[in-house]
Amino acid sequence: MSLIVLPSVVKRIANNDITMFAIVAGIFYLLHQGAAVQQAMIIYLLFAVLVLFGANQVERRSLFLAVFDNRATRFLGDISYSVYLCTPSSCWWALTLSITSIHTLPTGGTRKPLQVH
């Protein structure tokens, strides 16, 4: 049961597979177009509508749920927070490694490693 009660007209729209796939297609299209501020706001709004509509799916045998609610997507959902937590440390490690390797290249003189604090 959903925490947000939607009107019956909105529920009919939300339970339509064409609507759900159109929202996903709209998000992919806007992500492909570029990074304008207005497009980002529309993407955030569409994603919120997608989550709201997906949480209020009444018809459990819809094509949308068959595509997006399977073992692979559940696994990605289970590990996504772990990946999110590891990302900053791995980015810092890669940045430190690249800065160190760039500044220790032989330049014909003495090699001085860059000290990162």
Side-chain angles (χ1 to χ4, degrees):
M1 182 170 170
S2 176
L3 296 175
I4 298 174
V5 179
L6 296 176
S8 61
V9 173
V10 178
K11 281 187 180 182
R12 278 192 301 237
I13 294 171
N15 285 316
N16 188 351
D17 284 336
I18 296 172
T19 303
M20 299 298 280
F21 283 115
I23 292 172
V24 171
I27 290 172
F28 280 127
Y29 175 74
L30 289 172
L31 285 171
H32 179 70
Q33 287 301 310
V37 174
Q38 296 86 0
Q39 288 175 335
M41 292 305 207
I42 294 171
I43 290 170
Y44 295 149
L45 178 68
L46 285 175
F47 188 73
V49 169
L50 181 69
V51 169
L52 180 68
F53 283 4
N56 282 290
Q57 290 285 314
V58 176
E59 182 67 36
R60 298 307 295 175
R61 292 180 178 239
S62 69
L63 179 63
F64 179 78
L65 288 179
V67 170
F68 289 105
D69 189 20
N70 54 41
R71 290 178 61 190
T73 56
R74 285 180 185 260
F75 174 73
L76 288 175
D78 290 341
I79 67 166
S80 65
Y81 189 66
S82 306
V83 172
Y84 167 75
L85 289 177
C86 293
T87 302
S89 61
S90 61
C91 288
W92 177 253
W93 176 79
L95 179 67
T96 306
L97 182 67
S98 64
I99 289 173
T100 305
S101 64
I102 288 172
H103 288 284
T104 57
L105 291 174
T107 58
T110 60
R111 296 174 13 172
K112 298 178 185 175
L114 179 67
Q115 295 180 358
V116 179
H117 299 288

